[in-house]
Amino acid sequence: MEPKKKSMSLMAKQNSAGWVFLIPASAMIAIMSFFPMIKAFVMSLQTGSGSRTEFAGFYNYIRMFQDKIFIRSIGNTFLYLAIEVPIMLVLAILLAQLLNNQHLKFKGLFRTCVFLPCATSLVSYAIIFRFLFATDGFVNHLLQGLHITSANINFLGTAGTAKFVIIFALIWRWTGYNMVFFLAGLQNIEYSVYEAAQIDGANGWKTFWSITVPLLKPVIVMTAIQSINGTLQLFDESMNLTNGGPANATITMSHYVYNKAFVNASGFGYACAMAFLIFILVAILAAISQKVGDTRD
């Protein structure tokens, strides 16, 4: 009986140690994440500001879907999501495949060059892109030098081209970030699998679709969820590149929430209602992506 008591005592000590490490982290998550979410939902049911607030039910949520600018911001955000995320993930997986080649020289240099944009400050790279795509910027000089255009293009002052600049900036910055995940996934695939496919006569394209993509499916799902999450909360590019212009043509949901909460000061209740909708959209799309990528029976 004594050995059993000792083993039970050891198990109790291990459980106690686990709770000691778990409770502080759980408390921080509850304080920093769950409490603000609950508080935001409560505030979304109120109107007014400061101490002059009153319960308004779902008025802010009804107002949201009557707000043409917010509807436009939803459309812009999903446009960026639909174009940028697939292109970025495809480029990331192709670059990872190229840079995983065992016979490629200077792999470290190429990997660093592709990842480097991700290490650039959000504000810094947005300012650089503003200069590049300015009316008298480098891109206009290059296009005229190549005789593609005869006059300067107002990239950031036209709705269509401004959206293109934002999408291009997002792809430039985040492709390398996702490439690192794919590269790590590829390095966990045994090279003998590819050798066996070559012996069986499979070409590079068939090997890629039949071996690489299925084995990378968990990584693809993870990067897709991260990219969707980040795009739905997109703020910096809209704020620093175009300031939501021209005429709110490029504004995103998070940018509009910021404007309502801090710039126009229309009341935190309305801003909280929009922020809570963004949270719901992120949760729904993440759940869908996870369900699609779940291969368990």
Side-chain angles (χ1 to χ4, degrees), residues 41-97:
F41 178 70
V42 172
M43 290 183 67
S44 72
L45 303 176
Q46 299 173 348
T47 57
S49 58
S51 59
R52 298 179 179 179
T53 58
E54 58 182 14
F55 181 75
F58 291 96
Y59 167 75
N60 287 322
Y61 291 92
I62 297 170
R63 176 186 171 189
M64 228 175 5
F65 293 102
Q66 295 173 346
D67 189 339
K68 292 182 180 179
I69 299 176
F70 183 65
I71 298 297
R72 181 181 296 175
S73 73
I74 295 175
N76 291 338
T77 305
F78 275 89
L79 177 67
Y80 302 146
L81 175 67
I83 298 175
E84 170 250 341
V85 171
I87 293 174
M88 178 178 62
L89 294 181
V90 170
L91 284 175
I93 195 171
L94 290 176
L95 285 169
Q97 182 75 7

Side-chain angles (χ1 to χ4, degrees), residues 16-29:
S16 300
W19 280 109
V20 168
F21 286 104
L22 185 63
I23 289 173
S26 301
M28 289 297 295
I29 291 171

